[in-house]
Amino acid sequence: MTKKKPLILVTNDDGITAPGIRTLIEVMKELGDVVVVAPDSPQSGMGHAITISDTLFCEQVTIKENYKHKEYSCSGTPADCVKIATQEILHRKPDLCVSGINHGSNSSINVIYSGTMSAAVEAGVEGIPAIGFSLLDYSLNADFEPARKYVKAITKNVIKNGLPKGVVLNVNIPKLKASEIKGMKVCRQANAQWEEEFDKRTNPQGREYYWLTGKFVNKDKGEDTDEWALEKGYVSVVPVQFDLTAHHFLDDLNNWELND
């Protein structure tokens, strides 16, 4: 009796034609039956935004003529793509959702703003094992070949072992040649953040406008973080939970005189 292939939902935040998702699709086709539902245009930095005040459009498209799997282009956010895929397009819950491969880092605090990771988190909310993949290269000409080995290995392990309820994986891959990547490290999220500024300007009509600028500052000196691993040439693998409750503070908060 032939074992049924896993159904894999593929999405991203860079848009359905981005090189990163094309690489991810090719790897996933080796592991299961693929359905792609991705934004029709770049949605980077959208976080977990969903569309509630506008219409959503989702249509089947052909990106490559020789592709046998189905692909759908959605006018919404990455989280919208997962929602519409599971509720309107797929005939059963997917066995896995993979998001990416993102052009640029989603390590540390970037996970909060990431559309790539929000798609994975949305899948996790819906009870689907999920992984977000990112390559530390923002170029549209980024070389995703070194990432293939690690994307496949991590995905195979998730298919085999599953993930705990409420947990998704955030995987970041350094911008290195395949021979230079030292392996993978299971990490925690580094305590790092963006120190931001607004560049204030005036347009030819005299109206003021702003460009968000800033620099990334890593305040965490730990050798068990995603930033440390990436700097040392490792692929970082961080388990992420979408329960934002600060459980360690519950007892202290209960001792406050809140009802007085």
Side-chain angles (χ1 to χ4, degrees):
M1 185 175 179
T2 304
K3 187 176 180 180
K4 194 173 184 180
K5 288 184 177 181
L7 176 60
I8 303 175
L9 171 62
V10 179
T11 189
N12 75 344
D13 75 350
D14 288 315
I16 196 166
T17 61
I21 197 173
R22 296 293 112 195
T23 299
L24 188 58
I25 291 167
E26 291 299 328
V27 176
M28 292 305 116
K29 285 166 63 178
E30 300 175 22
L31 302 175
D33 293 325
V34 169
V35 176
V36 180
V37 184
D40 60 10
S41 60
Q43 297 283 332
S44 296
M46 290 298 291
H48 212 103
I50 56 173
T51 302
I52 58 174
S53 59
D54 202 355
T55 52
L56 273 177
F57 297 93
C58 192
E59 58 184 0
Q60 190 170 347
V61 294
T62 301
I63 305 299
K64 287 190 177 182
E65 293 294 338
N66 62 339
Y67 275 6
K68 295 181 180 180
H69 64 273
K70 292 182 179 180
E71 300 198 18
Y72 298 84
S73 176
C74 177
S75 64
T77 67
D80 286 329
C81 290
V82 174
K83 286 179 177 292
I84 205 164
T86 56
Q87 297 180 35
E88 295 292 330
I89 294 172
L90 301 176
H91 299 298
R92 65 180 177 91
K93 180 185 287 189
D95 300 292
L96 177 71
C97 175
V98 291
S99 182
I101 302 170
N102 188 62
H103 295 248
S105 173
N106 278 317
S107 60
S108 185
I109 194 65
N110 296 304
V111 69
I112 298 294
Y113 309 108
S114 168
T116 301
M117 281 306 298
S118 288
V121 168
E122 178 61 34
V125 170
E126 299 189 25
I128 304 163
I131 318 165
F133 293 103
S134 302
L135 176 69
L136 275 62
D137 190 341
Y138 290 90
S139 172
L140 278 176
N141 298 316
D143 181 10
F144 289 93
E145 286 304 307
R148 284 178 176 262
K149 170 184 175 182
Y150 302 98
V151 169
K152 186 173 183 179
I154 293 168
T155 303
K156 286 177 69 176
N157 270 276
V158 171
I159 291 172
K160 177 182 178 181
N161 301 313
L163 288 171
K165 183 178 179 181
V167 173
V168 302
L169 297 184
N170 181 18
V171 178
N172 283 270
I173 302 151
K175 181 186 175 182
L176 294 171
K177 295 178 181 178
S179 60
E180 297 173 335
I181 299 178
K182 297 177 181 178
M184 292 186 278
K185 291 281 188 183
V186 175
C187 310
R188 64 175 174 85
Q189 179 180 317
N191 177 21
Q193 66 186 64
W194 288 92
E195 291 186 353
E196 298 165 333
E197 296 178 355
F198 283 97
D199 184 1
K200 184 178 179 180
R201 304 180 187 181
T202 305
N203 71 12
Q205 290 74 39
R207 187 175 183 183
E208 292 180 345
Y209 66 96
Y210 300 85
W211 282 106
L212 179 62
T213 64
K215 61 180 180 179
F216 186 71
V217 179
N218 183 10
K219 302 177 180 179
D220 199 322
K221 304 304 179 184
E223 297 185 358
D224 58 345
T225 72
D226 49 7
E227 294 297 333
W228 182 91
L230 292 163
E231 183 181 341
K232 298 299 181 182
Y234 292 95
V235 174
S236 67
V237 184
V238 178
V240 176
Q241 63 181 9
F242 48 82
D243 176 4
L244 300 181
T245 306
H247 292 277
H248 64 283
F249 186 57
L250 285 174
D251 288 341
D252 287 340
L253 188 57
N254 273 316
N255 289 326
W256 286 19
E257 297 175 353
L258 297 175
N259 296 314
D260 291 350

